[in-house]
Amino acid sequence: MQNLIKNRAVIEDSWRLIRSTEESYGSDEDVILPLEQYAAANLEPRAGQTAVWLAPDADLTTLALSLPTLALVAIDFPAFTDGRGYSLARLLRERFHYLGELRAIGDVQRDQLAYMAQVGFDAFVIRDDRSAQDALGGLDDFSEQYQVTALQPKPLFKRRTSL
């Protein structure tokens, strides 16, 4: 079982993450493909659903037209210290108005979850050597955010004056 947190619950994952272009998959499987492989896969009819995962240096404009039809977009965090995925998530939610599932994959740990949720992630695949159940508490590590986020469109000073 994958360590998947979605909508604040640990759940079983029905999607299969395809990391390499050499990895094969069935036409009836729900798969998450690398961006490069995603365009080619859309040309073939499939019984299963097809989603895409993005590397931290991905160009979102190449995906813009497909976004309304995608049920899931995953963003890879190859290292805990690589924060480019946060920017991609925020752009997807705010500039491209993506409404589907936004999933964090890769080196995802409890300490990142509150921040990831604030930029628009709603699903998180926790590293295999960590417990998703333990990481779930990371979503509640902070009770307030000062700045504008995907979850909170008003800054704290405007929320406080409207009391």
Side-chain angles (χ1 to χ4, degrees), residues 10 12 15 18 30 35 37 46 50 57 59 68 73 83 86-87 89 110 116 121 130 132 137 140 163:
V10 177
E12 190 73 33
W15 292 86
I18 305 297
D30 294 339
L35 180 59
Q37 198 175 349
R46 303 187 69 249
T50 305
D57 60 352
D59 179 8
V73 174
Y86 292 93
S87 299
R110 176 199 163 110
M116 288 177 166
F121 286 101
R130 305 275 200 250
D140 297 317
L163 293 178

Side-chain angles (χ1 to χ4, degrees), residues 128-149:
D128 288 336
D129 63 335
R130 305 275 200 250
S131 163
Q133 195 62 50
D134 292 342
L136 192 56
L139 290 169
D140 297 317
D141 279 349
F142 304 102
S143 59
E144 280 293 345
Q145 300 290 327
Y146 290 107
Q147 68 278 14
V148 171
T149 69

Side-chain angles (χ1 to χ4, degrees), residues 1-14 103 113 122-127 130-139:
M1 179 179 135
Q2 230 176 4
N3 279 329
L4 177 64
I5 297 172
K6 182 176 175 183
N7 299 324
R8 296 184 161 264
V10 177
I11 64 165
E12 190 73 33
D13 192 3
S14 64
R103 181 181 291 196
L113 297 190
D122 53 9
F124 316 89
V125 178
I126 305 302
R127 284 182 14 183
R130 305 275 200 250
S131 163
Q133 195 62 50
D134 292 342
L136 192 56
L139 290 169

Side-chain angles (χ1 to χ4, degrees), residues 27-140:
S27 66
D28 60 337
E29 288 183 275
D30 294 339
V31 292
I32 307 171
L33 300 175
L35 180 59
E36 301 77 34
Q37 198 175 349
Y38 171 76
N42 271 343
L43 301 175
E44 305 168 15
R46 303 187 69 249
Q49 296 183 79
T50 305
V52 65
W53 69 265
L54 307 173
D57 60 352
D59 179 8
L60 294 180
T61 58
T62 61
L63 191 61
L65 295 175
S66 300
L67 285 173
T69 63
L70 283 169
L72 185 155
V73 174
I75 297 177
D76 190 29
F77 287 82
F80 179 80
T81 56
D82 190 341
R84 295 175 290 172
Y86 292 93
S87 299
L88 287 177
R90 188 129 190 209
L91 286 170
L92 280 169
R93 292 292 193 209
E94 294 178 7
R95 185 174 297 165
F96 292 93
H97 307 288
Y98 178 67
L99 300 174
E101 178 181 331
L102 191 53
R103 181 181 291 196
I105 60 172
D107 192 8
V108 178
Q109 301 177 40
R110 176 199 163 110
D111 295 347
Q112 299 166 290
L113 297 190
Y115 300 111
M116 288 177 166
Q118 292 301 320
V119 296
F121 286 101
D122 53 9
F124 316 89
V125 178
I126 305 302
R127 284 182 14 183
D128 288 336
D129 63 335
R130 305 275 200 250
S131 163
Q133 195 62 50
D134 292 342
L136 192 56
L139 290 169
D140 297 317

